[in-house]
Each structure stands twice: as structure tokens, then as C-alpha cells.
């Protein structure tokens, strides 16, 4: 008889275990999948190019986000982390994949960017060495690979590390209009034991999930031509949210 469940972490691990092992792209056990994904640096994957997201560039250019301490979640080969560092941000960047981080570190050496890269599970790391506070938490492609129950821990992560008045920038799969990711109901992911490539979101869902933050901007990402110095594809949502000063201080 197994009756050991007593904490939120226990619940998260129980629900993680309902998914087939090959579906895991969000815990430390999923690092091998991402290592395989990033192993061939020459693969024709659009976001392998060393280009920052058009949305992130826009936020800084328009003065919506100012340099400060930044945390880049699921940084991959480091394209956005390196851009933030070039603008004067003090950057911590996290990824599950040692292969992705080795590529990111090579790029940092080539460009002279000063970024602190951390390999591991962001949920665990933000409880210990990456406690913040961060003026910017940036996520381009991590959130939509989380199963529904992991949104609870993700919101707790933001609550732990995002500074009062700080900003959270998100890019994720967009539902409808040729978007990527699955639009199935949350419960279906547990019935099928997989995520079907990732979870798609619509405007209303994102506003509901992040309702404790103030929406600064939420839109489809602009498309960018192949020769653009920026990365952008319209099947993605991009959003910028701000944490209130008073509400954060009261927690």
C-alpha cells in the first residue's frame, strides 16, 4: 500500500508519472530528449539561428523593459540570453540540456557575452541558487512544454523570483490560425499520457493563468523574413506582464 503523498511536490511527481517516459520534456529526465534535439547544430530549425526574439527586442527598444537582473528559462543555445547581456542585463540562463548549454557557452565565448548558464530543472534551481529577485523573467518556448499540473509550480516560481515591479516575458504556442501545439482539453493529455508536441494557448487562457500579473502587451508574434536579424513567427503568442509593487511586497 502506497500512501506517501502529502505535499504539493508529491502531487506534482505523481502527475508527472502519469505521462509516458518518452513524453517528458520538463523534468531532469527529459534532458536526453533535448540533447538529441540540439545535437546537430546544422539542422534547419528556425530558432537555432543566433537571433533574438523580435518581441524581446521590441520591449527594450520601446522602453517597456529596462536593463537589470534577468532570468532566461529554457534558454537553449542562448540566443536571447546573449542579447540581454549585450544590452547590459545581468543574466542567469537555465536549460535542462547540457548539449544546448555547451552550444550557448560557445556562442558566449565567441561574442564575449557575460552570461551565467545553469544546467538543470528550473523548478529546483529557483528554490536554491536562482532565488532572485529578477527584474525580468523571460521564457521563449519553455511554458508550452509543461503539462497542465506544472502550471502551479510555474506560477509559484514566478512568485518566488520576480521582483516587485518586475516584468515577465512569455512566448508560447498560439491556438488557431495555423498555430502549433495541441488545443485539446487539459484532461486529454492525462488520458493520452503525452502532450502532442506541446500545449497551445489562446488570449483568454493566458490572461486567466497569469491574472495576478498586469498585462502590458499580448499579441501574435510578428513574422520576420529569413534575412532579418530578429526571430519571429506568427504561430506564437508573445506577452509581457508586470508584477505590481504593492501586491508583491505583501506576499
Amino acid at each position: 500500500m502506497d500512501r506517501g503523498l502529502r505535499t504539493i511536490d508529491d502531487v506534482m511527481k505523481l502527475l508527472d508519472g502519469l505521462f509516458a517516459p518518452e513524453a517528458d520534456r520538463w523534468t531532469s529526465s527529459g534532458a536526453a530528449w533535448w540533447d538529441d534535439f540540439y545535437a546537430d547544430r546544422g539542422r534547419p530549425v528556425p530558432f537555432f539561428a543566433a537571433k533574438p526574439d523580435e518581441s524581446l527586442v521590441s520591449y527594450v527598444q520601446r522602453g517597456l523593459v529596462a536593463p537589470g537582473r534577468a532570468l532566461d528559462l529554457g534558454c537553449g543555445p542562448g540566443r536571447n540570453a546573449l542579447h540581454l547581456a549585450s544590452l547590459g542585463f545581468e543574466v542567469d540562463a537555465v536549460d535542462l540540456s547540457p548539449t544546448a548549454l555547451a552550444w550557448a557557452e560557445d556562442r558566449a565565448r565567441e561574442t564575449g557575452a557575460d552570461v551565467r548558464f545553469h544546467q538543470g530543472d528550473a523548478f529546483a534551481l529557483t528554490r536554491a541558487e536562482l532565488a532572485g529577485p529578477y527584474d525580468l523573467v523571460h521564457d521563449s518556448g519553455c511554458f508550452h512544454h509543461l503539462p497542465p499540473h506544472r502550471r502551479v509550480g510555474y506560477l509559484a516560481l514566478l512568485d518566488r523570483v520576480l521582483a516587485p515591479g518586475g516584468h515577465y516575458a512569455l512566448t508560447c504556442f498560439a491556438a488557431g490560425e495555423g498555430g502549433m501545439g495541441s488545443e485539446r482539453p487539459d484532461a486529454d493529455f492525462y488520458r493520452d499520457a503525452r502532450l502532442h508536441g506541446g500545449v497551445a494557448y489562446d488570449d483568454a487562457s493566458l490572461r486567466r493563468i497569469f491574472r495576478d500579473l498586469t498585462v502590458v502587451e499580448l499579441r501574435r508574434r510578428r513574422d520576420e523574413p529569413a534575412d532579418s536579424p530578429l526571430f519571429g513567427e506568427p504561430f506564437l503568442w508573445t506577452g509581457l506582464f508586470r508584477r505590481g509593487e504593492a501586491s508583491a511586497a505583501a506576499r
Side-chain angles (χ1 to χ4, degrees):
M1 180 181 292
D2 180 7
R3 296 290 184 270
L5 191 151
R6 58 183 299 271
T7 69
I8 294 296
D9 282 344
D10 292 337
V11 174
M12 295 296 109
K13 291 175 183 176
L14 174 68
L15 294 174
D16 285 344
L18 298 181
F19 287 85
E22 61 271 17
D24 182 1
R25 299 181 191 177
W26 63 91
T27 74
S28 295
S29 299
W33 190 94
W34 290 110
D35 281 340
D36 288 342
F37 182 79
Y38 286 112
D40 180 3
R41 298 183 183 184
R43 286 177 63 199
V45 177
F47 57 84
F48 276 14
K51 302 177 179 183
D53 289 346
E54 63 85 6
S55 50
L56 181 62
V57 173
S58 172
Y59 298 151
V60 178
Q61 287 182 341
R62 289 184 286 153
L64 300 178
V65 174
R69 292 193 68 199
L71 174 63
D72 191 15
L73 299 172
C75 67
R79 57 192 182 83
N80 287 304
L82 269 61
H83 178 71
L84 288 171
S86 74
L87 299 176
F89 283 84
E90 181 183 345
V91 184
D92 286 303
V94 180
D95 203 278
L96 284 174
S97 168
T99 300
L101 289 178
W103 189 0
E105 288 167 347
D106 286 346
R107 284 177 166 175
R109 281 190 292 271
E110 291 167 2
T111 61
D114 183 11
V115 177
R116 293 183 296 269
F117 292 105
H118 307 264
Q119 190 275 319
D121 180 347
F123 294 108
L125 288 171
T126 53
R127 290 191 184 95
E129 59 193 278
L130 302 178
Y134 291 97
D135 304 293
L136 173 67
V137 175
H138 178 261
D139 176 348
S140 183
C142 178
F143 179 70
H144 58 222
H145 286 299
L146 299 178
H149 66 278
R150 281 288 174 177
R151 292 177 203 139
V152 176
Y154 191 94
L155 292 171
L157 181 159
L158 291 179
D159 194 56
R160 283 195 302 274
V161 306
L162 189 58
H167 288 88
Y168 165 61
L170 170 69
T171 294
C172 67
F173 290 150
E177 300 180 31
M180 294 183 65
S182 175
E183 298 183 33
R184 295 185 177 204
D186 283 350
D188 280 5
F189 298 124
Y190 299 92
R191 297 187 183 101
D192 295 346
R194 58 196 181 99
L195 289 182
H196 303 276
V199 182
Y201 292 90
D202 60 17
D203 179 285
S205 296
L206 293 174
R207 291 178 186 273
R208 183 166 58 251
I209 292 167
F210 298 105
R211 64 178 179 264
D212 290 339
L213 303 174
T214 299
V215 177
V216 178
E217 180 175 276
L218 185 58
R219 60 172 172 84
R220 288 274 185 156
R221 188 136 72 171
R222 288 190 292 272
D223 199 6
E224 292 286 337
D227 60 354
S228 171
L230 308 178
F231 174 70
E233 291 187 320
F235 60 77
L236 300 166
W237 277 115
T238 182
L240 182 66
F241 304 80
R242 184 177 184 275
R243 185 175 192 176
E245 302 271 1
S247 59
R251 296 180 183 226

